[in-house]
Amino acid sequence: MREAHGTVTFSITGNIMELEGTGPWNLEQMKQSGSAAAPILNQLLDSPWAVLATFHGEAFYTEDAAEQLVGWIKKEKQRGRVATALILTHASVPDMAKWHLSQIYLQAGERLKIFDDRIQALAWLKQQLEAAQSA
């Protein structure tokens, strides 16, 4: 079995799940993340919620890990997930990382916006959540 590459930690603030991760990520790491995220997800599912992801370094997924992520997002969208805000820090090729991540979220049908600033990212997520709650 391959070793897990990359790290992700999870926390929850209101109806926003916050992820902090350092890539690149492979499928083994995704499986560990899925287990770690499950108790947090259970608190959020079935009412509108969003994700704030702060990624450091090489924000890339292997092909199998990207497929896993697309599948998870599609399932989560059926259970209240409305949007994702991404903040990228210390990426060696930020434009390539933004393109790579945008493709994953586009494939999953997720509303995504990439920010440099946490305050702006949270403000945008709150707008998305308010729109979803009044829909």
Side-chain angles (χ1 to χ4, degrees):
M1 186 169 168
R2 293 183 305 178
E3 215 174 289
H5 285 281
T7 62
V8 182
T9 57
F10 302 92
S11 61
I12 190 169
T13 308
N15 49 0
I16 296 173
M17 178 161 76
E18 295 197 42
L19 316 174
E20 189 149 344
T22 303
W25 300 280
N26 65 4
L27 188 59
E28 286 67 26
Q29 205 296 316
M30 295 294 290
K31 289 174 180 167
Q32 289 178 6
S33 293
S35 302
I40 291 169
L41 278 171
N42 288 336
Q43 298 173 49
L44 293 167
L45 293 175
D46 301 325
S47 59
W49 59 283
V51 175
L52 173 60
T54 304
F55 290 154
H56 308 285
E58 304 312 310
F60 293 96
Y61 290 89
T62 59
E63 193 174 334
D64 52 0
E67 286 172 16
Q68 175 78 64
L69 182 57
V70 167
W72 282 348
I73 294 169
K74 285 180 173 177
K75 281 187 193 134
E76 291 168 2
K77 292 202 69 58
Q78 295 170 357
R79 304 213 41 205
R81 181 172 176 160
V82 296
T84 299
L86 280 180
I87 299 169
L88 298 178
T89 67
H90 311 296
S92 57
V93 271
D95 290 343
M96 181 67 95
K98 287 175 185 175
W99 180 86
H100 171 72
L101 294 166
S102 296
Q103 293 304 305
I104 292 170
Y105 286 88
L106 185 70
Q107 201 180 339
E110 175 72 322
R111 184 175 291 132
L112 171 75
K113 198 162 178 187
I114 299 174
F115 294 88
D116 297 320
D117 177 84
R118 179 182 162 80
I119 291 163
Q120 290 174 342
L122 284 168
W124 180 78
L125 285 175
K126 287 182 176 135
Q127 289 173 341
Q128 303 307 307
L129 286 165
E130 283 165 18
Q133 283 161 345
S134 60

